[in-house]
Amino acid sequence: MKINKIIYLILASFLLVFTACDSIVDEQNLTDSTDVAGVELIATQSTPGGNKITLKMASPGITGYWDYNLGQALTNEVTVVYPIPGKSTFTYVGSLGSKFFTKTIDVQIDQLDTRLDQDYYDLVSENTAAGKTWVFDGTAGSGKLWWFMSPPGSPDGAMTAWWNAGDCCGPSDATGKMHFDLDKGANFNHYETQTATPTKGSFELDPVNKKLTIIGSKMLGYAAGNKDGVYTIVTLTADKMVLYLSNNEANATGWTFVFKPQ
């Protein structure tokens, strides 16, 4: 009998120990501090219609970042000098607590009264609305390097010619032109010849990463271009522009384009 009592006491002790060791779980579910409609976005321009813009997400308890089209800012407030006139849409991407969201705000830019990166003026001229026309810096038989095959992989070899294609058999638009301007938008026109009807598109200039992207149209010398329209800027001054592709679709080599203002 004593043995049974001892066994019972031991079992009871184990039960007490295990009960005491059970963890207490405090389940906390993420809750939203507001809904998307309650997220307040504010855009403030330094002057009426000006291109220096402060973007602010003013609602408490929200975290996220701004996508201002030319880049991203991992903060609730950012000031940018925006280069494109007209109506632009800026996006805030954030978390309400339990879910992610995006919300946009439109800003009308009527004047570029805060100076841009110098690359914009070299590309489109100081008269940004009138813009600037570029042509190839050379013609067939001139011996100049203006449209040629170059080493792939890096712009470091952009001016090394593997084949001076332009000197013998240039592109169909060798005598054409292209025009850039910032008149109510980032406008780009490609002309197959000097008098041809233009193919209209737009452009994006990235001075930091040295990229020029042509959207909805063709770059001069497009026979050696890429469908994505993204070119590396090797040189961009007021009187010379050199662009490079590391792997053009036509030849799977590098290709270099050299332009001058008309």
Side-chain angles (χ1 to χ4, degrees), residues 13-27:
S13 298
F14 273 118
L15 181 61
L16 289 172
V17 170
F18 284 131
T19 302
C21 291
D22 283 347
S23 61
I24 299 174
V25 179
D26 183 12
E27 294 185 356

Side-chain angles (χ1 to χ4, degrees), residues 2 13 29 32 38 54 66 86 133 159 169 175 182 201 205 224-225:
K2 289 184 178 180
S13 298
N29 295 319
D32 296 340
T54 298
W66 279 101
T133 299
M159 296 310 297
C169 33
T175 60
L182 292 171
L205 177 64

Side-chain angles (χ1 to χ4, degrees), residues 1-259:
M1 182 67 67
K2 289 184 178 180
I3 293 175
N4 289 338
K5 288 183 178 180
I6 293 172
I7 293 174
Y8 174 80
L9 289 173
I10 291 174
L11 291 173
S13 298
F14 273 118
L15 181 61
L16 289 172
V17 170
F18 284 131
T19 302
C21 291
D22 283 347
S23 61
I24 299 174
V25 179
D26 183 12
E27 294 185 356
Q28 293 182 346
N29 295 319
L30 292 174
T31 59
D32 296 340
S33 57
T34 184
D35 56 14
V36 175
V39 176
E40 184 181 11
L41 303 183
I42 301 171
T44 305
Q45 291 162 272
S46 59
T47 59
N51 68 316
K52 187 175 182 180
I53 307 164
T54 298
L55 301 168
K56 182 178 180 180
M57 194 290 300
S59 298
I62 305 294
T63 58
Y65 66 91
W66 279 101
D67 181 345
Y68 53 93
N69 304 322
L70 305 176
Q72 296 178 346
L74 304 179
T75 178
N76 287 340
E77 183 174 339
V78 62
T79 298
V80 297
V81 176
Y82 204 66
I84 303 172
K87 186 174 79 172
S88 292
T89 300
F90 304 98
T91 304
Y92 186 83
V93 181
S95 171
L96 297 171
S98 68
K99 58 187 175 183
F100 291 98
F101 73 96
T102 62
K103 190 170 184 177
T104 62
I105 187 169
D106 293 335
V107 179
Q108 178 66 35
I109 300 169
D110 297 318
Q111 55 184 347
L112 302 180
D113 55 346
T114 298
R115 192 164 179 83
L116 308 176
D117 188 285
Q118 183 59 38
D119 280 357
Y120 282 96
Y121 301 107
D122 290 336
L123 181 65
V124 307
S125 82
E126 291 286 337
N127 188 341
T128 57
K132 190 173 183 178
T133 299
W134 293 84
V135 296
F136 277 118
D137 188 13
T139 57
S142 66
K144 296 182 70 174
L145 293 173
W146 53 274
W147 188 74
F148 57 94
M149 185 183 292
S150 51
S154 171
D156 293 341
M159 296 310 297
T160 299
W162 278 5
W163 174 40
N164 190 3
D167 206 41
C168 70
C169 33
S172 61
D173 57 352
T175 60
K177 60 185 178 181
M178 56 186 179
H179 185 83
F180 297 83
D181 70 66
L182 292 171
D183 183 14
K184 300 181 179 65
N187 306 305
F188 173 84
N189 287 333
H190 169 271
Y191 299 79
E192 190 77 14
T193 66
Q194 288 290 311
T195 58
T197 300
T199 301
K200 298 182 178 182
S202 61
F203 73 91
E204 291 180 358
L205 177 64
D206 183 348
V208 174
N209 296 303
K210 297 299 179 184
K211 299 290 183 182
L212 176 63
T213 303
I214 305 302
I215 303 165
S217 185
K218 301 176 284 190
M219 172 67 74
L220 204 61
Y222 62 89
N226 275 1
K227 293 177 182 177
D228 61 8
V230 181
Y231 298 80
T232 297
I233 300 170
V234 177
T235 301
L236 180 54
T237 64
D239 55 10
K240 186 174 185 178
M241 178 165 59
V242 180
L243 303 178
Y244 169 77
L245 285 176
S246 63
N247 188 359
N248 80 85
E249 291 172 341
N251 308 96
T253 66
W255 207 274
T256 304
F257 309 72
V258 183
F259 305 105

